[in-house]
């Protein structure tokens, strides 16, 4: 597998989830080129996610997916394990902590990466067609148009009626992933009509409202999960952790705290 293959695989998974979050385990990432994984993390194409709650049991050849149980001993050392209910000669199987580590990616992170690499102001909006996400206005030689990301099926860069598969526009070079800016400019100039979607509309305002509402719901779910795991954690600490996990979309911990309950 090459670095470009790894990027294509990540993008395909995001497309299969229609832009929603996808999880990749630390164990699987060991099969990807180390340079690709390091760049994905540093370029925020992958961010750390919560530890997995289920795992493929290594106790026998059946490879059953089992829920993980976690206990602490008197010295507060954590042990993760699964309990086999299929065979009487196995019972408890210890799971190394590294197998539970996960990383997350989604369409919003892809859009942010593209905007950063092209040096454009991120739009961060969803159009009336919810699976078409606006990235930002890009200047070509002839015109400026809104560059979008289509996340239904094959993930593609879209300008007007023209499109290019994202995996064909992003390549690994000089130790990092980069967007081919010349290909994007050609896409902008070759589109048959100027794209008016950067002009604010009532539909887009409603889309922003829905996106904000969904983000607040994500904060609430994370907050409830944190309180179940650590009842003594303060609301301020919860809000800071939600921001640290990359779920705040640039909002401050104080803003998260006000809307997470």
């Amino acid at each position: 597998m090459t670095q470009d293959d790894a990027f294509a695989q990540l993008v395909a998974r995001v497309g299969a989830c229609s832009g929603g979050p996808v999880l990749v385990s630390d164990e699987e990432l060991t099969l990807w080129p180390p340079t690709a994984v390091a760049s994905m993390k540093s370029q925020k194409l992958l961010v750390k996610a919560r530890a997995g709650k289920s795992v493929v049991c290594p106790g026998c050849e059946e490879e059953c997916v089992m829920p993980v149980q976690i206990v602490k001993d008197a010295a507060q050392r954590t042990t993760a394990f699964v309990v086999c209910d299929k065979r009487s000669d196995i019972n408890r199987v210890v799971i190394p902590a590294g197998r539970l580590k996960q990383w997350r990616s989604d369409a919003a992170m892809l859009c942010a990466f593209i905007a950063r690499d092209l040096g454009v102001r991120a739009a961060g909006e969803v159009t009336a067609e919810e699976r078409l996400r606006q990235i930002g206005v890009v200047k070509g030689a002839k015109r400026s148009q809104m560059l979008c990301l289509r996340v239904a099926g094959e993930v593609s860069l879209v300008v007007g009626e023209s499109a290019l598969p994202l995996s064909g526009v992003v390549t690994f070079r000089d130790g990092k992933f980069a967007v081919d800016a010349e290909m994007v400019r050609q896409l902008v100039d070759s589109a048959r009509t100027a794209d008016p979607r950067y002009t604010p509309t009532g539909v887009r305002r409603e889309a922003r409202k829905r996106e904000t509402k969904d983000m607040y719901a994500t904060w609430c779910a994370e907050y409830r999960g944190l309180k179940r795991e650590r009842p003594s954690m303060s609301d301020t600490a919860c809000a800071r952790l939600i921001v640290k996990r990359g779920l705040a979309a640039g909002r401050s911990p104080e803003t998260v705290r006000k809307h997470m309950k």
Side-chain angles (χ1 to χ4, degrees):
M1 176 187 286
T2 66
Q3 293 92 341
D4 291 342
D5 291 337
F7 180 82
Q9 187 170 140
L10 181 66
V11 168
R13 291 190 184 185
V14 173
C17 293
S18 299
V22 297
L23 297 172
V24 186
S25 69
D26 239 19
E27 185 177 26
E28 182 176 0
L29 288 180
T30 62
L31 304 177
W32 294 14
T35 50
V37 174
S39 295
M40 287 178 180
K41 293 177 180 179
S42 66
Q43 293 180 274
K44 297 183 179 180
L45 286 163
L46 287 173
V47 298
K48 203 166 188 178
R50 296 175 63 178
K53 295 183 178 180
S54 62
V55 69
V56 175
C57 175
C60 72
E61 67 280 358
E62 295 297 327
E63 297 187 328
C64 304
V65 177
M66 305 288 289
V68 176
Q69 301 186 43
I70 298 177
V71 296
K72 291 184 178 180
D73 60 19
Q76 295 300 300
R77 290 174 298 195
T78 299
T79 300
F81 61 92
V82 298
V83 177
C84 178
D85 58 0
K86 307 293 190 300
R87 293 173 50 164
S88 60
D89 60 333
I90 295 180
N91 194 20
R92 179 182 292 193
V93 180
V94 175
I95 304 298
R99 294 196 64 181
L100 301 179
K101 292 181 180 178
Q102 299 184 118
W103 298 82
R104 178 178 60 83
S105 187
D106 58 29
M109 292 166 61
L110 292 178
C111 289
F113 156 72
I114 296 165
R116 286 194 304 270
D117 201 66
L118 291 176
V120 301
R121 178 180 292 181
E125 298 179 2
V126 182
T127 66
E129 181 189 344
E130 292 187 0
R131 294 180 180 179
L132 194 64
R133 293 173 176 260
Q134 295 180 345
I135 297 171
V137 177
V138 176
K139 293 181 179 179
K142 301 176 183 178
R143 64 188 66 150
S144 297
Q145 299 206 66
M146 175 60 73
L147 178 68
C148 297
L149 187 72
R150 180 184 294 136
V151 293
E154 184 178 44
V155 178
S156 303
L157 291 178
V158 177
V159 177
E161 298 178 1
S162 302
L164 286 173
L166 180 61
S167 58
V169 180
V170 176
T171 56
F172 188 84
R173 58 178 182 269
D174 299 326
K176 66 177 183 178
F177 290 100
V179 181
D180 189 322
E182 182 58 32
M183 289 183 69
V184 173
R185 283 192 289 269
Q186 290 177 8
L187 179 66
V188 169
D189 287 334
S190 66
R192 278 193 276 173
T193 58
D195 188 345
R197 282 175 291 190
Y198 60 85
T199 304
T201 65
V203 172
R204 292 238 319 281
R205 282 193 294 271
E206 288 303 313
R208 287 197 298 269
K209 290 179 182 178
R210 289 197 304 273
E211 190 174 46
T212 300
K213 185 177 179 180
D214 290 342
M215 181 171 62
Y216 288 171
T218 299
W219 295 352
C220 291
E222 286 290 318
Y223 173 75
R224 290 193 296 269
L226 288 170
K227 294 299 283 186
R228 282 195 300 269
E229 295 173 6
R230 290 177 257 183
S232 61
M233 179 179 282
S234 68
D235 287 356
T236 299
C238 288
R240 287 174 179 167
L241 189 52
I242 290 171
V243 172
K244 187 176 180 180
R245 288 177 174 175
L247 302 175
R251 271 65 165 190
S252 68
E254 181 58 20
T255 299
V256 173
R257 187 187 65 79
K258 291 178 180 178
H259 297 282
M260 69 184 184
K261 293 196 292 184

